[in-house]
Amino acid sequence: LVSGLEWTAASPSALVARPGGLVFTADQDLASIRGRHAFRTDGTEAGTFRVLTESGDPLEAWAAAGPLPDGVVLLSGGNELDTETLWRVDGDVASVVRPVPPGGNPPDPSQLKRIGDLVYFASWETGAEEPWRSDGTQSGSWELRSGSLVAFDPSPFAEAHGRAWFGAENPE
């Protein structure tokens, strides 16, 4: 992917442009680090780095969406402490947007899609995937509901006429 560095990366995907460059995921194969990780780049060899979490661990990531109006990119990923949750990258470091609830299942976000100023995604909560949206903050991330109606297993999110659309099931 980028020559001359002490690591190799292949199969880049989930490329998201942001001010000053890109955030993307790629398979990494280094003696001590294997797996799909998040990277940031300014487009130069010297300016390409793994995205690290606040604890200094590499962020394993599978999907990305953004950028949001403030340049933040959201990723689905994990590290040694917080696995399979929603992360935000602004600048050089990734931080958790949706913490894993104590004793709960990891949120495991998927289907990330930026629509307008938000990112929509599916996330596990009660044994099924449910539709969510986020502005990149913990307080601005919540499940999409219509009153007491809960939607399960949302189809991929799509944008039409400036709105987010998806299909879903409900138990009723």
Side-chain angles (χ1 to χ4, degrees), residues 51-78:
V51 171
L52 301 178
T53 65
E54 293 170 321
S55 61
D57 297 319
L59 178 62
E60 291 187 41
W62 303 274
L68 295 173
D70 56 2
V72 166
V73 174
L74 297 185
L75 296 112
S76 171

Side-chain angles (χ1 to χ4, degrees), residues 26-37:
D27 292 326
Q28 184 170 9
D29 186 10
L30 182 63
S32 61
I33 300 173
R34 295 197 191 315
R36 186 160 253 336
H37 288 87

Side-chain angles (χ1 to χ4, degrees), residues 13-136:
S13 63
L15 283 78
V16 176
R18 68 174 190 165
L22 291 172
V23 171
F24 65 96
T25 66
D27 292 326
Q28 184 170 9
D29 186 10
L30 182 63
S32 61
I33 300 173
R34 295 197 191 315
R36 186 160 253 336
H37 288 87
F39 294 86
R40 61 183 174 80
T41 185
D42 64 5
T44 68
E45 181 176 339
T48 302
F49 302 94
R50 281 185 309 211
V51 171
L52 301 178
T53 65
E54 293 170 321
S55 61
D57 297 319
L59 178 62
E60 291 187 41
W62 303 274
L68 295 173
D70 56 2
V72 166
V73 174
L74 297 185
L75 296 112
S76 171
N79 70 359
E80 305 257 338
L81 303 174
D82 297 294
T83 59
E84 301 179 16
T85 194
L86 189 66
W87 295 78
R88 67 181 273 133
V89 176
D90 63 10
D92 300 338
V93 178
S95 57
V96 173
V97 175
R98 291 198 58 225
V100 175
N105 294 324
D108 193 17
S110 63
Q111 303 181 42
L112 280 69
K113 172 90 173 171
R114 177 183 175 216
I115 299 174
D117 291 344
L118 301 170
V119 169
Y120 292 83
F121 59 98
S123 187
W124 284 89
E125 288 299 313
T126 57
E129 280 193 319
E130 299 170 2
W132 282 71
R133 52 80 83 193
S134 179
D135 66 358

Side-chain angles (χ1 to χ4, degrees), residues 111 113-115 120 155-167:
Q111 303 181 42
K113 172 90 173 171
R114 177 183 175 216
I115 299 174
Y120 292 83
S155 61
F157 296 91
E159 180 176 9
H161 307 291
R163 292 188 170 178
W165 296 84
F166 64 95

